[in-house]
Amino acid sequence: MGGKILSIAAHVPEKILTNEDLEKMVDTSDEWITTRTGIKERHITKDNEYTSTLATEAAKKALDRAGISPMDLDMIVVASATHDYWFPATACLVQANIGAENAACFDIEAACPGFVYTLEIARGFLSIPNYNNILVIGAETLTKITDYTDRGTCVLFGDGAGAAVITKSDEEHFLGSYLKGNGKLGDLLIMPAGGTRKRCSEESIKNREHFIKMQGREVFKHAVVGMQEAAIKALENAGISPSEVDWLVAHQANKRIIDATRKKLGLPEEKVYINIDKYGNTSSASIPIALNEMYEKGLLKEGQIIVLDAFGAGFIYGAIVIKW
Ligand code: UT7
């Protein structure tokens, strides 16, 4: 007995912010953003669109594609760094929106690898008899915590959500994984205020501490090493060689980081899916948004070996090897 992804779906807000738009807001250029990151545009929420709004739309599509009713869900897990509230959990808001009255609900905060972490959690729950259908969601509204006066970060982030229904199956489709943390380096990528340590105050607002602060160059170096390590170890744990991999679907933070991971695994460019140009960095949503696009383009074929690989704030990183 094992588990598999029964369906995949995504939802992004309609509004688009292009590199040209950003040129008018900060001292940057389309040329700099494109060559340093691979990003051309990103989707951004309006004031009345929230993480739960995007998550709910992705969830509805995922249920539709899975051909199951919301009442068939035993659990909803939302991975996000930008939950609607501290509490209640965004998973509870999604539950109410879709009418999944039989579901257990909770959130996790695992930054950009959030979707990889939720998949691993869901896979674990599937081994317990009463959990059969689990909805896992990666959803973010990062632009709500982005400082549009900081050119070092504001060009990077976008909003979106991806959702998958995970279900029991006779054959195991979750072949192996590797999850890791390095908490000593948390300060390099942090939202300093708004938690219990540094509560919201006039000073924290004045210091713009309710926004993402990132030492990009340092994060970059660790991201390259972490993504490579995660992919290699997850493949080892799965007993699969890189030459057997059909797709590397990596967290879309920077095209150069993905290229470095691909090269380390010895994969050709056509085995790597890249869509950072259209969405920017959507943290926990980036992998399911990519998987959804691949599904809609007919690129995902039964039996393919796919490595999902991500790195983010914490630092935490991880990869999971799945059979489609
Ligand atoms: O999602 C989870 C984890 N996040 C990541 O993995 C992100 C990792 N980091 C990165 O992707 C890259 O470090 C960035 C894209 C953020 C930055 O690229 P970089 O090649 O590391 O640039 P840098 O920070 O070293 O900056 C190079 C130069 C600097 O100017 P000087 O000091 O050389 O004169 C920056 O001030 O580029 C300047 N710069 C910009 N110029 C135009 C920084 N941001 C911009 C900008 N437009 N938006």
Side-chain angles (χ1 to χ4, degrees), residues 22 26-30 32-33 35-39 111-113 142 150-157 189 214-224 227 251-257 276 281-283 310-313 315-316:
L22 282 160
V26 285
D27 180 16
T28 191
S29 65
D30 172 48
W32 190 96
I33 303 170
T35 52
R36 298 280 175 142
T37 71
I39 302 168
C112 302
L142 290 169
D150 173 13
R151 71 173 182 173
T153 54
C154 75
V155 301
L156 304 174
F157 302 109
L189 177 49
M214 180 169 75
Q215 294 181 39
R217 202 177 300 183
E218 283 307 305
V219 177
F220 185 98
K221 284 190 245 163
H222 290 283
V224 168
M227 297 269 290
H251 168 47
Q252 311 278 312
N254 189 317
K255 185 172 181 300
R256 290 183 291 144
I257 298 173
I276 190 172
N281 179 347
T282 57
S283 190
F311 179 97
F315 292 141
I316 50 171

Side-chain angles (χ1 to χ4, degrees), residues 59-305:
K60 284 181 186 164
K61 254 186 250 172
L63 285 172
D64 198 42
R65 286 181 180 167
I68 65 167
S69 135
M71 296 297 276
D72 295 327
L73 287 176
D74 304 304
M75 179 176 285
I76 302 171
V77 192
V78 175
S80 183
T82 47
H83 299 290
D84 284 34
Y85 305 110
W86 272 47
F87 54 87
T90 305
C92 297
L93 307 178
V94 173
Q95 178 197 30
N97 289 345
I98 64 174
E101 288 171 26
N102 297 319
C105 307
F106 64 95
D107 290 355
I108 67 155
E109 197 293 288
C112 302
F115 189 74
V116 172
Y117 272 64
T118 46
L119 275 184
E120 190 68 340
I121 290 166
R123 154 199 167 137
F125 270 104
L126 286 181
S127 64
I128 302 172
N130 43 324
Y131 300 105
N132 294 306
N133 295 312
I134 302 179
L135 179 64
V136 300
I137 301 173
E140 304 284 0
T141 48
L142 290 169
T143 64
K144 295 192 194 293
I145 57 162
T146 295
D147 183 349
Y148 284 97
T149 66
D150 173 13
R151 71 173 182 173
T153 54
C154 75
V155 301
L156 304 174
F157 302 109
D159 300 333
V165 174
I166 314 299
T167 195
K168 283 190 164 90
S169 73
D170 292 336
E171 188 194 354
E172 180 60 271
H173 286 248
F174 295 103
L175 306 180
S177 67
Y178 179 81
L179 304 181
K180 185 95 184 283
N182 180 0
K184 285 186 193 150
L185 298 173
D187 285 347
L188 296 176
L189 177 49
I190 189 167
M191 186 172 114
T196 53
R197 183 180 291 219
K198 199 171 235 186
R199 287 182 290 166
C200 182
S201 65
E202 273 180 41
E203 194 200 352
S204 68
I205 292 170
K206 199 176 93 228
N207 293 338
R208 309 186 74 78
E209 290 176 299
H210 296 270
F211 293 118
I212 300 167
K213 305 280 180 200
M214 180 169 75
Q215 294 181 39
R217 202 177 300 183
E218 283 307 305
V219 177
F220 185 98
K221 284 190 245 163
H222 290 283
V224 168
V225 176
M227 297 269 290
Q228 292 175 345
E229 178 188 326
I232 288 166
K233 298 271 186 173
L235 282 166
E236 268 173 30
N237 291 342
I240 286 179
S241 92
S243 62
E244 295 172 82
V245 172
D246 293 292
W247 287 108
L248 169 66
V249 184
H251 168 47
Q252 311 278 312
N254 189 317
K255 185 172 181 300
R256 290 183 291 144
I257 298 173
I258 302 174
D259 284 342
T261 309
R262 171 182 72 74
K263 284 181 189 153
K264 185 81 177 177
L265 293 176
L267 297 176
E269 276 186 34
E270 56 275 16
K271 288 193 170 182
V272 181
Y273 193 77
I274 301 220
N275 65 358
I276 190 172
D277 50 319
K278 286 190 285 179
Y279 303 103
N281 179 347
T282 57
S283 190
S284 68
S286 84
I287 286 179
I289 289 174
L291 280 176
N292 172 65
E293 270 195 2
M294 295 169 77
Y295 168 78
E296 289 184 348
K297 287 180 180 170
L299 296 175
L300 298 177
K301 308 267 189 295
E302 211 178 309
Q304 281 182 336
I305 303 292

